[in-house]
């Protein structure tokens, strides 16, 4: 199964890039509600999830407690 085109980027009126991908939408219990593309393919997101990994730092109040600057929070996301 070929993954569908999710996003086209344009240069003027011409499609410059087509970005394919897979999407899985789940409910809070982990049940699959909808999917597009091959959601069984292994992926290694690495740097793409760093902002998500830094989210508890902000949401827990730790960033405020330790008086982290915007630059330090940005560094946690990079």
């Amino acid at each position: 199964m070929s993954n569908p085109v999710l996003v086209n980027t344009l240069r003027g009126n011409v499609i410059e890039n087509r970005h394919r991908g897979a999407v899985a939408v789940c409910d809070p219990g982990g049940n699959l509600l909808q999917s597009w593309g091959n959601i069984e393919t292994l992926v290694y997101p690495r740097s793409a999830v760093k902002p998500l990994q830094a989210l508890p730092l902000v949401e827990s109040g730790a960033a405020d407690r330790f008086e982290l600057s915007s630059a330090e929070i940005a560094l946690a996301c990079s």
Side-chain angles (χ1 to χ4, degrees), residues 8-77:
N8 290 323
T9 56
L10 302 174
R11 184 176 294 258
N13 294 327
V14 177
I15 295 175
E16 182 175 51
N17 296 298
R18 295 171 195 248
H19 301 276
R20 295 181 177 274
V23 178
V25 179
C26 299
D27 66 17
N31 300 302
L32 184 65
L33 301 176
Q34 183 69 270
S35 68
W36 297 269
N38 185 356
I39 61 169
E40 298 298 324
T41 299
L42 291 177
V43 296
Y44 302 96
R46 300 180 47 119
S47 295
V49 297
K50 286 183 181 176
L52 295 176
Q53 293 172 320
L55 196 56
L57 176 68
V58 176
E59 292 292 318
S60 70
D64 290 332
R65 181 170 181 258
F66 294 106
E67 299 178 354
L68 298 183
S69 67
S70 295
E72 289 169 319
I73 294 171
L75 185 60
C77 293

